[in-house]
Amino acid sequence: MAISRRLFIQGSAVSALGLAAGVAPQFSFAADSKDAIKIASILDLSGGLDIYGKPMSNAINLAAEEINATGGLLGRPLQVINYDAQSNMQLYAQYAQQAALKDKVAVVHGGITSASREVIRPVLDRFRSLYFYPAQYEGGVCDRNYFSSGSTPAQTVEKLVPYAVKKWGKKVYVLAADYNYGQIVSAWVKKSVHDNGGEVVTVEFFPLDVTDFGAAISKIQSAKPDMVWSALVGGAHISFYRQWHAAGMSGKIPIASTVFGGGNEHIILSPEESNGILVAANYMQEIPSPENKAFVERFHARYGANTPYISDLAMGAYQGMLIWAEGVRKAGDIERMKVIEALESGVTLTSPSGKLSVDPATHHCSLDVHIAEVENHQMKILQTFTDQAPVDTAMVCDLKKNPRDTKQYQIEL
């Protein structure tokens, strides 16, 4: 039986908001406070996707603690209700409804896969509960009740493909998870490779529970591409990298990905299995900025020095909380439409990942992108783009003109 876990966040000694390091004022809130602002976190804390969900949940709870340490929002403490969706779509639907109707939360932060997002989103639209999606994803969702705090392929694929094509060559073999994310990202890769004078020779899709990649590796060996593009997702798909190395392919045909590392694959795999893979993401723990170094220290102080590597997905969850909190401050209220309108008036802030701004027309973020190479369990940053990449060049979403839009637009080849 699934159980939702409730956590009341009390004061912490350090603030993330405007105080990169140092001691913040202490505020004490009674755990039974009737004035608490309730927030729902709906993530996979168990099941096949918990490698993503656990650090994301930690990031949301840390953000709430830090906000409470500076007096909460509007003089009220934040109360996080953590639901474990157990990598089960039915539980996502159940908890989204419970959060909206029973717990009456001010906002829901949750969903990892595109499938889980598309289960939550219509429920929260129906019950008029504000929704923040914290993961990097395939892009295109247009919904006034929805905000995305992660990156899209227009920001990551469009940066990594030209870098990799120039470095390795123009013949690309794509492996992708067989659901909405993998299918749409593969289309982005095909477009970007073509735009850079290259060719995608094959796109091969795999269900999330597939663990045997022997046949795929044989096909790649026969095709002899200049590189492999991986849009593989989840714990089962880690098997590909191990089998790739076991087949003697490490170092022979290079790999690029905009999802590798999201589940700490570069920590779970050995250096021999992962060194040399190129990655693009909004966040990497190695970002050398003072804001990020202070954040990493706070995260480790809160969850232990041996806590897993802080992933791009965890940062998406953390900065989603910062964006929502800034909307509440600007609105002077937690009421859904007032917060939406406040965010649509323009919000820019600096998070550990760099500068980010909410795009009023799409409710997505313009943000920094980093390209890195995996090296001995680390992300060696090779290039950083601070040009505030367009949110989604293929998206025709404009919520200013069409506030009732609730579609997901897809790239056209």
Side-chain angles (χ1 to χ4, degrees), residues 34-74:
K34 295 180 180 179
D35 292 330
I37 299 171
K38 294 181 180 179
I39 298 165
S41 167
I42 309 178
L43 294 163
D44 303 310
L45 306 180
S46 60
L49 296 172
D50 63 347
I51 59 172
Y52 305 119
K54 289 177 179 177
M56 294 170 76
S57 177
N58 286 344
I60 288 171
N61 290 323
L62 177 62
E65 290 179 354
E66 293 179 336
I67 291 168
N68 280 350
T70 57
L73 290 176
L74 312 179

Coordinates of all heavy atoms in Angstrom, one line a residue, residues 34-74:
K34 N -1.2 26.4 12.0 CA -2.3 26.4 11.1 C -2.0 27.4 9.9 O -2.8 27.4 8.9 CB -3.6 26.8 11.8 CG -4.0 25.8 12.8 CD -5.3 26.2 13.5 CE -5.7 25.1 14.6 NZ -6.9 25.5 15.3
D35 N -1.0 28.2 10.1 CA -0.7 29.2 9.0 C 0.3 28.7 8.0 O 0.7 29.4 7.1 CB 0.0 30.4 9.7 CG -1.0 31.2 10.5 OD1 -2.2 31.2 10.2 OD2 -0.6 31.8 11.5
A36 N 0.7 27.4 8.1 CA 1.7 26.8 7.2 C 1.2 26.8 5.7 O 0.0 26.6 5.5 CB 2.1 25.4 7.6
I37 N 2.0 27.2 4.8 CA 1.7 27.1 3.4 C 2.1 25.7 2.9 O 3.3 25.3 3.0 CB 2.5 28.1 2.6 CG1 2.2 29.5 3.0 CG2 2.3 27.9 1.1 CD1 3.1 30.6 2.4
K38 N 1.2 24.9 2.4 CA 1.4 23.5 2.1 C 1.9 23.4 0.6 O 1.3 24.0 -0.3 CB 0.1 22.7 2.2 CG -0.3 22.5 3.7 CD -1.6 21.7 3.8 CE -2.1 21.5 5.2 NZ -3.3 20.7 5.3
I39 N 2.9 22.6 0.4 CA 3.5 22.3 -0.9 C 3.6 20.8 -1.1 O 3.9 20.1 -0.1 CB 5.0 22.9 -0.9 CG1 5.0 24.4 -0.7 CG2 5.7 22.5 -2.2 CD1 6.4 24.9 -0.4
A40 N 3.2 20.4 -2.2 CA 3.3 18.9 -2.5 C 4.5 18.6 -3.4 O 4.8 19.4 -4.4 CB 2.0 18.5 -3.3
S41 N 5.2 17.6 -3.0 CA 6.3 17.0 -3.8 C 5.9 15.6 -4.2 O 5.7 14.8 -3.4 CB 7.6 17.0 -3.0 OG 8.6 16.2 -3.7
I42 N 5.6 15.4 -5.5 CA 5.2 14.1 -6.0 C 6.3 13.5 -6.9 O 6.5 14.0 -8.0 CB 3.9 14.1 -6.8 CG1 2.8 14.9 -5.9 CG2 3.4 12.7 -7.1 CD1 1.5 15.0 -6.7
L43 N 7.1 12.6 -6.3 CA 8.3 12.1 -7.0 C 8.4 10.6 -6.8 O 7.8 10.0 -5.8 CB 9.5 12.8 -6.6 CG 9.6 14.3 -7.0 CD1 10.7 15.0 -6.2 CD2 9.9 14.4 -8.5
D44 N 9.3 9.9 -7.5 CA 9.5 8.5 -7.3 C 10.6 8.3 -6.3 O 11.8 8.5 -6.6 CB 10.0 7.9 -8.7 CG 8.9 8.1 -9.7 OD1 7.8 7.8 -9.5 OD2 9.3 8.5 -10.8
L45 N 10.2 8.0 -5.1 CA 11.2 7.8 -4.0 C 11.5 6.3 -3.9 O 12.4 5.9 -3.0 CB 10.6 8.3 -2.7 CG 10.2 9.8 -2.7 CD1 9.7 10.3 -1.4 CD2 11.4 10.7 -3.2
S46 N 10.8 5.5 -4.6 CA 11.1 4.0 -4.7 C 10.7 3.6 -6.1 O 10.1 4.4 -6.9 CB 10.3 3.3 -3.7 OG 8.9 3.4 -3.8
G47 N 11.0 2.4 -6.5 CA 10.8 1.9 -7.9 C 11.9 2.2 -8.8 O 13.0 2.7 -8.4
G48 N 11.7 1.9 -10.1 CA 12.8 2.0 -11.0 C 13.4 3.4 -11.3 O 14.5 3.5 -11.8
L49 N 12.6 4.4 -10.9 CA 13.1 5.8 -11.2 C 13.5 6.5 -9.9 O 13.7 7.8 -10.0 CB 12.0 6.6 -11.9 CG 11.6 6.0 -13.3 CD1 10.4 6.8 -13.8 CD2 12.8 6.2 -14.3
D50 N 13.7 5.8 -8.8 CA 14.1 6.5 -7.6 C 15.5 7.0 -7.6 O 15.9 7.9 -6.9 CB 14.0 5.5 -6.4 CG 14.9 4.3 -6.4 OD1 15.4 4.0 -7.5 OD2 15.0 3.6 -5.4
I51 N 16.3 6.6 -8.6 CA 17.7 7.2 -8.7 C 17.6 8.7 -9.1 O 18.5 9.4 -8.8 CB 18.5 6.4 -9.8 CG1 17.9 6.4 -11.2 CG2 18.8 5.0 -9.3 CD1 18.7 5.9 -12.3
Y52 N 16.5 9.0 -9.7 CA 16.2 10.4 -10.0 C 15.4 11.1 -8.9 O 15.7 12.3 -8.5 CB 15.4 10.6 -11.3 CG 16.0 9.9 -12.5 CD1 15.3 8.9 -13.2 CD2 17.2 10.3 -13.0 CE1 15.9 8.2 -14.3 CE2 17.8 9.7 -14.1 CZ 17.1 8.6 -14.8 OH 17.6 8.0 -15.9
G53 N 14.4 10.4 -8.4 CA 13.5 11.1 -7.5 C 14.0 11.4 -6.1 O 13.7 12.5 -5.5
K54 N 14.9 10.6 -5.6 CA 15.4 10.9 -4.2 C 16.2 12.2 -4.1 O 15.9 13.0 -3.2 CB 16.2 9.7 -3.7 CG 15.4 8.4 -3.4 CD 16.3 7.3 -3.0 CE 15.4 6.1 -2.6 NZ 16.3 4.9 -2.3
P55 N 17.2 12.4 -5.0 CA 17.9 13.7 -4.9 C 17.0 14.9 -5.2 O 17.2 16.0 -4.7 CB 19.0 13.6 -5.9 CG 18.6 12.4 -6.8 CD 17.8 11.5 -6.0
M56 N 16.0 14.7 -6.1 CA 15.0 15.8 -6.4 C 14.2 16.1 -5.2 O 14.0 17.3 -4.8 CB 14.1 15.4 -7.5 CG 14.8 15.2 -8.9 SD 13.8 14.5 -10.2 CE 12.8 15.9 -10.6
S57 N 13.8 15.1 -4.4 CA 13.0 15.3 -3.2 C 13.9 16.0 -2.2 O 13.5 17.0 -1.5 CB 12.5 14.0 -2.6 OG 11.9 14.2 -1.4
N58 N 15.2 15.6 -2.0 CA 16.1 16.3 -1.1 C 16.2 17.8 -1.4 O 16.3 18.6 -0.5 CB 17.4 15.6 -1.1 CG 17.4 14.2 -0.4 OD1 16.5 13.9 0.3 ND2 18.5 13.4 -0.7
A59 N 16.3 18.1 -2.7 CA 16.5 19.4 -3.1 C 15.3 20.3 -2.8 O 15.4 21.4 -2.3 CB 16.8 19.5 -4.6
I60 N 14.1 19.8 -3.0 CA 12.9 20.5 -2.7 C 12.8 20.8 -1.2 O 12.5 21.9 -0.7 CB 11.6 19.7 -3.1 CG1 11.5 19.8 -4.7 CG2 10.4 20.3 -2.5 CD1 10.5 18.9 -5.3
N61 N 13.1 19.8 -0.4 CA 13.0 19.9 1.1 C 14.1 20.9 1.6 O 13.8 21.7 2.5 CB 13.2 18.6 1.8 CG 12.0 17.7 1.6 OD1 10.9 18.2 1.5 ND2 12.2 16.4 1.4
L62 N 15.3 20.9 1.0 CA 16.3 21.8 1.4 C 15.9 23.2 1.0 O 16.1 24.1 1.9 CB 17.7 21.5 0.6 CG 18.8 22.5 0.9 CD1 19.2 22.5 2.4 CD2 20.0 22.1 0.0
A63 N 15.3 23.4 -0.1 CA 14.9 24.8 -0.5 C 13.9 25.3 0.5 O 13.9 26.5 0.9 CB 14.3 24.8 -1.9
A64 N 12.9 24.4 0.9 CA 11.9 24.8 1.9 C 12.5 25.2 3.2 O 12.1 26.1 3.9 CB 10.9 23.7 2.0
E65 N 13.5 24.4 3.6 CA 14.2 24.7 4.9 C 14.9 26.0 4.9 O 14.8 26.8 5.8 CB 15.2 23.6 5.2 CG 14.7 22.2 5.6 CD 15.7 21.2 5.8 OE1 16.9 21.5 5.6 OE2 15.4 20.1 6.2
E66 N 15.5 26.3 3.7 CA 16.2 27.6 3.6 C 15.3 28.8 3.6 O 15.6 29.8 4.1 CB 17.1 27.5 2.4 CG 18.3 26.5 2.6 CD 19.2 26.4 1.4 OE1 18.7 26.7 0.2 OE2 20.3 25.9 1.5
I67 N 14.2 28.6 2.9 CA 13.2 29.7 2.9 C 12.6 29.9 4.3 O 12.4 31.0 4.8 CB 12.0 29.3 1.9 CG1 12.6 29.4 0.5 CG2 10.8 30.3 2.1 CD1 11.7 28.8 -0.6
N68 N 12.3 28.8 5.0 CA 11.8 28.9 6.4 C 12.9 29.6 7.3 O 12.5 30.3 8.2 CB 11.5 27.5 6.9 CG 10.1 27.1 6.5 OD1 9.3 27.9 5.9 ND2 9.8 25.8 6.7
A69 N 14.2 29.4 7.0 CA 15.2 29.9 7.8 C 15.3 31.4 7.7 O 15.8 32.1 8.6 CB 16.6 29.4 7.4
T70 N 14.7 32.0 6.7 CA 14.6 33.4 6.5 C 13.3 34.0 6.8 O 12.9 35.1 6.3 CB 15.1 33.8 5.1 OG1 14.3 33.2 4.1 CG2 16.6 33.5 4.9
G71 N 12.4 33.2 7.5 CA 11.1 33.8 7.8 C 10.0 33.2 7.0 O 8.8 33.7 7.2
G72 N 10.2 32.2 6.2 CA 9.1 31.7 5.4 C 8.7 32.6 4.3 O 9.5 33.4 3.8
L73 N 7.5 32.5 3.8 CA 6.9 33.3 2.8 C 5.7 34.1 3.3 O 4.8 33.4 3.9 CB 6.5 32.5 1.5 CG 7.6 31.9 0.7 CD1 7.0 31.0 -0.4 CD2 8.5 33.0 0.1
L74 N 5.7 35.4 3.2 CA 4.6 36.2 3.7 C 4.4 36.0 5.2 O 3.3 36.1 5.7 CB 3.3 35.9 2.9 CG 3.4 35.8 1.4 CD1 2.1 35.4 0.8 CD2 3.9 37.1 0.8

